Amino acid sequence: MNVLSTFTGEMSDSKVAGVFNNERLARAVARQARAVLGLRPSQVQVVTPRDSHPGRKLEPEGRGIFRTALIAHFKLGVVGMVLGVLVFISLHTRDVPAVVNSPGMAAMAILLLGGFAGLLAGGLVTLRPDHTPLLAKVGEALGEGRYAVVVHAFDDDQSACAQAFLAGQGGETIRTL
């Protein structure tokens, strides 16, 4: 299971792309990837310079991204608040004067700061900055008239196998987390 799966609503958190110089080779590699790696047809996409909306093949889970936003913000917001409670308890047991003299206000402030920190972390997970290098490399390849095979892996094992397979076929590979 992918590390981010706990905080996202996407089926495929990890993506692997291999860039190839011609379409025939890219399509053959995609067929072989499905067969050899046992992937579903929807998990392996060929992106060409002629695609009018290549982003749909690169990031096909529009609803998943919305679910990621909700799930990541909720879970990480709660985690932040729990950490805030632990910080408050720690400060209170150390007899920090500001916490001991006004425990209600200190608890509320620390809890809110923890929650806000968790929400910010949820925003970072939703943005998926790990996808940016892959999207940039595929976009650059398409601009040069090259082709990409994109594998939407369901777990870390599939991702590693897909990267090794695409590299073994002569593709320039890149992978998200």
Side-chain angles (χ1 to χ4, degrees), residues 31-160:
R31 278 192 302 279
Q32 290 172 348
R34 289 182 197 106
V36 171
L37 301 175
L39 300 173
R40 298 176 187 168
S42 62
Q43 284 183 266
V44 183
Q45 300 287 324
V46 177
V47 186
T48 73
R50 294 183 313 278
D51 287 336
S52 58
H53 300 289
R56 290 184 184 155
K57 290 183 178 179
L58 294 168
E59 298 282 358
E61 296 185 65
R63 284 190 195 152
I65 293 169
F66 179 72
R67 287 183 57 219
T68 292
L70 293 177
I71 291 169
H73 281 85
F74 176 76
K75 287 183 176 181
L76 289 171
V78 169
V79 167
M81 291 174 74
V82 168
L83 290 174
V85 168
L86 295 175
V87 167
F88 171 78
I89 291 169
S90 174
L91 293 173
H92 198 274
T93 58
R94 288 191 169 93
D95 292 324
V96 172
V99 175
V100 173
N101 293 336
S102 186
M105 291 299 287
M108 186 170 50
I110 294 170
L111 190 71
L112 286 173
L113 287 173
F116 287 144
L119 291 172
L120 288 172
L124 185 62
V125 168
T126 301
L127 287 174
R128 300 301 305 269
D130 62 309
H131 287 206
T132 302
L134 182 138
L135 297 172
K137 181 171 183 133
V138 170
E140 181 181 314
L142 295 176
E144 296 169 352
R146 298 166 73 201
Y147 303 83
V149 176
V150 180
V151 176
H152 302 276
F154 290 155
D155 57 39
D156 290 331
D157 290 337
Q158 272 188 356
S159 186

